[in-house]
Amino acid sequence: MPMFNIARNELHRLFLSPLAWVILALSQLLLAYLFLTHMDYFNSIQSRISAIPGAPGVTELVAMPLLSNAAIIALLISPLLTMRSFAEERRNETLPLLSSAPLSMFDIVIGKFLGTLTFFLIMASLTVLMICSLAVGTTLDFYQLSAGVIGLILLVASFSAVGIYMSSLTRQPTIAAISTFAILFLFWIIDWASHSTTEFSLLSWLSLLKHFEPMMQGQINTQDISYFALIIFAFLLLTVRRLDRERLDQ
């Protein structure tokens, strides 16, 4: 299918960039350090909590905090990974060539989205491998871990969709990166305003963090999944409509 060819090309383009390799290396080094830090903390308190019924185990004290750390890192790096998706095509004046290809804008946008998401999945897989190494000497709650991984995947997919849309609005990758981070950060902290009064319950519903946290606790519900699906669909649809309108104006 054309979208998968575009996804492969997008992933290839990412790996041709030194920035992507630097991001991948630094993020994994940071996550490895945090993994060892969480393990050190767990080992230091294990003797004290082992006799407590229902005490948190390695999943709660190491695995899930590491996935939360990975989410924060993804928030920081996603603008850098998505900023060139369409902004650089427009700056290099190759976007009209791409638009004139016998492909629908849907295929082009979804292809770029899948290519970027694949890069994030590679990063997430390396993180999950670190966590799964704990199964050798400890007992992992694989249900909670699976819920957390699903939450992380949905979160980075949302980051990618937002970043690709912001990249479609400008010809400057730097502007796309800054605006993407601003939007994502707003969606991350928007529920802070809802603590003051129930009048702002809508703000709480809009928060990425509010829907991500239950999955970190092992809770998977349709409301959270629907929220992430809506964010992904909405921003990808906006991107398709934006580029379709630009194609018609050419």
Side-chain angles (χ1 to χ4, degrees):
M1 294 179 66
M3 69 176 66
F4 294 120
N5 292 330
I6 294 174
R8 185 175 63 251
N9 292 336
E10 182 71 9
L11 184 62
H12 180 67
R13 183 187 64 80
L14 281 172
F15 277 110
L16 285 177
S17 167
L19 177 63
W21 286 103
V22 170
I23 288 174
L24 184 61
L26 290 180
S27 62
Q28 292 308 306
L29 282 174
L30 180 57
L31 285 169
Y33 170 76
L34 293 170
F35 175 70
L36 294 175
T37 301
H38 293 316
M39 277 299 302
D40 184 60
Y41 172 71
F42 175 73
N43 290 331
S44 68
I45 66 170
Q46 186 177 15
S47 59
R48 284 177 284 168
I49 66 174
S50 57
I52 303 176
V58 69
T59 305
E60 292 84 359
L61 296 178
V62 178
M64 307 319 289
L66 188 65
L67 289 180
S68 296
N69 296 148
I72 297 294
I73 292 173
L75 174 68
L76 297 175
I77 67 175
S78 56
L80 300 176
L81 291 175
T82 59
M83 65 181 182
R84 298 168 57 193
S85 296
F86 288 105
E88 190 168 79
E89 299 270 10
R90 185 177 284 109
R91 186 177 64 177
N92 295 338
E93 298 184 353
T94 56
L95 186 58
L97 181 63
L98 184 63
S99 300
S100 63
L103 299 170
S104 68
M105 275 303 172
F106 176 83
D107 287 335
I108 295 172
V109 171
I110 297 300
K112 284 185 172 288
F113 168 73
L114 292 177
T116 305
L117 181 59
T118 301
F119 187 91
F120 276 116
L121 292 179
I122 292 171
M123 295 179 59
S125 298
L126 295 173
T127 305
V128 172
L129 284 176
M130 276 191 278
I131 294 173
C132 287
S133 67
L134 297 173
V136 176
T138 60
T139 302
L140 281 172
D141 183 344
F142 282 100
Y143 177 82
Q144 184 176 359
L145 177 60
S146 298
V149 171
I150 291 172
L152 181 62
I153 292 173
L154 290 172
L155 188 70
V156 297
S158 301
F159 291 169
S160 299
V162 173
I164 287 173
Y165 172 65
M166 300 310 296
S167 180
S168 72
L169 298 178
T170 179
R171 63 170 52 242
Q172 297 297 331
T174 304
I175 295 176
I178 294 172
S179 57
T180 298
F181 178 76
I183 294 294
L184 292 179
F185 187 68
L186 177 63
F187 271 97
W188 191 264
I189 67 169
I190 196 171
D191 71 309
W192 291 1
S194 68
H195 296 328
S196 57
T197 171
T198 56
E199 182 181 347
F200 296 99
S201 59
L202 176 61
L203 299 182
S204 178
W205 183 84
L206 287 173
S207 171
L208 286 165
L209 185 60
K210 202 73 172 180
H211 295 277
F212 177 64
E213 285 179 335
M215 294 188 179
M216 289 296 100
Q217 299 167 5
Q219 303 170 18
I220 299 179
N221 58 68
T222 55
Q223 181 181 0
D224 295 329
I225 294 176
S226 299
Y227 167 82
F228 285 114
L230 178 62
I231 291 291
I232 296 166
F233 175 79
F235 278 96
L236 291 180
L237 179 61
L238 287 171
T239 307
V240 171
R241 290 179 62 86
R242 169 73 174 85
L243 296 174
D244 265 334
R245 187 166 62 249
E246 188 171 333
R247 172 188 269 179
L248 292 174
D249 292 340
Q250 291 176 359

